[in-house]
Amino acid sequence: GFCKLQLEHGYILLKVSKNIVREVEIFNIKDFVINYLKSLDDELFTDAPKSKVVDAVIKGASQHFVNGYLEFLETKQLEFLRDTKDKGFLFFSNCFVDISKDKNEVEVKKYEELEGYIWDKQVIQRKYQIRNTKSEMEKLIRNICKNDEERILSLRSAIGYLLHNYKDSTNAKAVIFLDEKLSDGAYGRSGKGLVAQAVGKLRKTVRLDGRNFNFSRNFLFQSVTLDTAIIEFNDVTKKFNFDKLFSVITDDITVERKNQNEIIIPFQQSPKIIISTNYTIEGSDDSTLDRQFIIEFSDHYNKSHRPIDEFGHRFFDEWNNEEWNNFLNYMIGCLQLYLNKGLIKCAHVNLERKKLIDSTSEEFAEYFESIEQGKEYLKKDLYANFQKEYEEHIELQPVRFSRWIKEAARIKGLKVMERKSGIERYLKIGAAEVLDKLDYSLFEEG
């Protein structure tokens, strides 16, 4: 069952058993050979005892278990079964399920009906049965969304999007789990990690430390393999450089590993992205916003009120088989919802305010909202009034204040119009369609 799979650069070693494919290292092949020899009956070894044959294989390992020798393994072209635009597949220990856009019911199928190969990590080591009983996951999602049906549908559609491993270049987004609560520092404990874990129970997920992640380091994605479905950036900071993820979200991903050939994973097979954070992602330009789908998490769960306090046990680790089945059916329902409705947007609670604070300051956010729209101001007067009202910003430079004005207007979807009269600069802030109609010839010079 051992073979090679050719990649754009080099190859990887695989073991194929029926329709299940596993990526292996050389030590896996060594283990297999030794265990195979040890499992044989002693009577088969007529020229030398079994132990001597095993010893001979071990002593000859430097000849046999090396790339130059193993490259003669058969190269196979494997057609992997993947989700399509209108279909999703999930694999369990006793069956696999076929979820279709145009069918209300999921189809439960036997592995004999499998048309194509799948990775071993795609198989969820749970037995699946169709159930209609409510899941604890459903209650958790309802609490996170404060029982707001619009928010619940939005979060469920995001879960479905992540579970669907089909990738569409016109709809490639990072799903961002963001704390709704306005706070100075990292708030957390709102359930973001638990929802990401839930997705990881059904799709292979690589979790990266968002706090210490540095895009300039070597071997950034060395833990990502061909069967990785999700990359989760956990708890990223305010300075997380989202721009660097653009190509990962919308293009192929290059995986570099120490002392190994790099692997280029084509866009259609590359992982989707989850980012969990308490801070808004920097940038309000179209390119940044088009690559994000943001879900706000309420503070129903926090450091004083955790899911374990409410449910009386840990999610996943302390579930019985019945609750696992309820959970699997709920998650399949999320995938079904996404196939039928796509990503469902909802009105955000504090996103705009958080963006404003994260891009400027809490004091400036408050001050900006007090500026009357459509009224003309001397820029230096706005600056002086801000410093007078908020003395902690007395060192703020005029250039930075101007930048904050423009960034705040962009976040709020407003337009800033400026004019110069002598050495003075005037500006108006307001809705673009209103300001565009202004006739500046009415303003006198000086």
Side-chain angles (χ1 to χ4, degrees):
F2 291 98
C3 62
K4 304 192 305 291
L5 179 68
Q6 187 171 350
L7 305 173
E8 189 168 335
H9 297 289
Y11 62 88
I12 57 172
L13 298 170
L14 304 176
K15 188 175 191 304
V16 182
S17 177
K18 294 184 179 178
N19 292 68
I20 312 295
V21 180
R22 177 166 66 99
E23 184 178 350
V24 295
E25 303 288 349
I26 290 177
F27 77 86
N28 298 124
I29 300 177
K30 288 179 181 177
D31 288 347
F32 178 85
V33 171
I34 296 301
N35 290 332
Y36 173 76
L37 289 172
K38 288 179 177 178
S39 71
L40 295 174
D41 292 335
D42 292 342
E43 291 77 20
L44 293 173
F45 296 85
T46 55
D47 296 329
K50 183 197 295 187
S51 59
K52 284 196 173 183
V53 175
V54 171
D55 286 344
V57 171
I58 293 171
K59 287 175 183 176
S62 59
Q63 286 181 284
H64 302 306
F65 299 102
V66 290
N67 286 327
Y69 189 75
L70 294 173
E71 281 175 359
F72 287 100
L73 283 168
E74 180 186 359
T75 300
K76 285 194 175 181
Q77 298 296 324
L78 302 175
E79 197 67 42
F80 284 90
L81 179 65
R82 292 190 62 82
D83 294 355
T84 66
K85 185 178 180 181
D86 299 324
K87 266 183 184 288
F89 300 96
L90 287 167
F91 306 94
F92 302 95
S93 59
N94 63 325
C95 64
F96 73 97
V97 295
D98 180 336
I99 306 112
S100 297
K101 179 180 179 179
D102 54 356
K103 294 180 182 177
N104 293 326
E105 299 290 330
V106 301
E107 291 185 82
V108 179
K109 297 183 176 180
K110 296 179 179 178
Y111 276 98
E112 289 78 12
E113 302 175 71
L114 195 60
E115 297 177 358
Y117 293 91
I118 62 169
W119 294 102
D120 64 322
K121 295 289 174 62
Q122 287 180 264
V123 180
I124 302 152
Q125 298 304 318
R126 294 277 168 189
K127 289 186 176 180
Y128 173 73
Q129 290 180 320
I130 294 176
R131 290 275 175 83
N132 293 317
T133 319
K134 285 198 173 184
S135 160
E136 288 185 352
M137 192 69 196
E138 180 178 354
K139 185 177 180 183
L140 180 94
I141 297 294
R142 284 197 161 275
N143 291 338
I144 286 169
C145 299
K146 292 188 173 178
N147 275 311
D148 184 315
E149 293 297 335
E150 187 182 359
R151 291 178 69 178
I152 292 167
L153 285 173
S154 187
L155 177 48
R156 289 188 65 213
S157 75
I159 292 171
Y161 168 80
L162 293 165
L163 293 177
H164 190 223
N165 68 21
Y166 172 82
K167 293 194 73 176
D168 178 358
S169 58
T170 64
N171 190 39
K173 299 180 186 294
V175 174
I176 298 171
F177 293 160
L178 173 71
D179 285 327
E180 167 194 312
K181 187 179 176 69
L182 296 171
S183 61
D184 294 331
Y187 175 69
R189 303 282 184 171
S190 57
K192 302 187 300 294
L194 204 54
V195 175
Q197 279 185 60
V199 174
K201 297 299 179 184
L202 279 76
R203 295 295 191 197
K204 184 185 174 186
T205 301
V206 168
R207 189 181 221 198
L208 302 176
D209 179 5
R211 281 182 172 271
N212 300 306
F213 192 81
N214 187 340
F215 283 97
S216 62
R217 287 180 186 165
N218 294 327
F219 315 116
L220 281 183
F221 300 115
Q222 63 178 335
S223 51
V224 174
T225 53
L226 289 176
D227 57 351
T228 301
I230 309 284
I231 300 175
E232 179 198 351
F233 294 87
N234 179 50
D235 199 19
V236 306
T237 64
K238 191 175 183 178
K239 294 182 179 179
F240 184 76
N241 195 343
F242 184 75
D243 288 7
K244 296 284 188 182
L245 275 184
F246 281 14
S247 61
V248 177
I249 296 168
T250 59
D251 209 338
D252 305 343
I253 179 172
T254 301
V255 177
E256 294 180 333
R257 297 177 184 172
K258 207 168 185 178
N259 302 321
Q260 294 186 39
N261 291 324
E262 68 177 21
I263 298 174
I264 297 177
I265 304 177
F267 167 75
Q268 290 80 4
Q269 300 165 29
S270 63
K272 291 185 176 180
I273 304 293
I274 300 175
I275 297 172
S276 64
T277 181
N278 183 47
Y279 304 98
T280 57
I281 300 299
E282 191 174 311
S284 53
D285 57 283
D286 290 343
S287 294
T288 300
L289 298 177
D290 284 348
R291 289 172 171 84
Q292 300 177 10
F293 188 77
I294 299 171
I295 298 291
E296 288 178 298
F297 281 60
S298 76
D299 62 348
H300 178 91
Y301 298 110
N302 51 63
K303 64 181 180 180
S304 303
H305 179 66
R306 303 165 299 165
I308 194 171
D309 300 322
E310 185 166 315
F311 292 94
H313 52 253
R314 295 171 64 86
F315 267 49
F316 313 124
D317 296 339
E318 296 179 357
W319 277 352
N320 57 27
N321 290 333
E322 183 179 354
E323 186 51 48
W324 265 104
N325 242 306
N326 296 338
F327 164 74
L328 295 174
N329 279 279
Y330 180 77
M331 298 295 277
I332 287 171
C334 293
L335 176 49
Q336 206 162 25
L337 173 69
Y338 171 72
L339 288 174
N340 282 287
K341 303 290 186 181
L343 284 168
I344 301 170
K345 293 182 179 180
C346 72
H348 292 113
V349 181
N350 282 328
L351 178 61
E352 186 182 273
R353 176 80 176 182
K354 281 180 78 81
K355 265 189 172 293
L356 195 51
I357 291 170
D358 291 344
S359 299
T360 58
S361 73
E362 190 169 354
E363 295 77 22
F364 181 82
E366 185 177 298
Y367 178 72
F368 185 83
E369 288 173 352
S370 71
I371 297 173
E372 187 179 336
Q373 291 185 30
K375 180 179 177 181
E376 189 177 44
Y377 294 90
L378 259 174
K379 188 187 285 187
K380 69 177 184 180
D381 288 347
L382 286 176
Y383 174 62
N385 290 339
F386 175 65
Q387 289 191 313
K388 183 179 178 182
E389 197 168 335
Y390 301 96
E391 293 180 358
E392 59 268 45
H393 289 282
I394 198 68
E395 300 294 328
L396 181 71
Q397 295 299 309
V399 173
R400 193 174 186 191
F401 179 79
S402 295
R403 196 184 307 130
W404 280 5
I405 286 277
K406 291 171 183 175
E407 182 63 19
R410 186 159 48 245
I411 289 168
K412 286 186 155 292
L414 301 173
K415 189 173 183 178
V416 177
M417 294 191 73
E418 296 184 74
R419 72 181 182 91
K420 186 177 180 181
S421 178
I423 62 170
E424 304 289 10
R425 290 186 178 273
Y426 297 83
L427 61 79
K428 277 192 175 186
I429 302 168
E433 60 271 17
V434 175
L435 295 189
D436 284 341
K437 294 177 182 177
L438 291 176
D439 182 359
Y440 277 93
S441 64
L442 297 176
F443 294 117
E444 294 181 6
E445 290 294 317

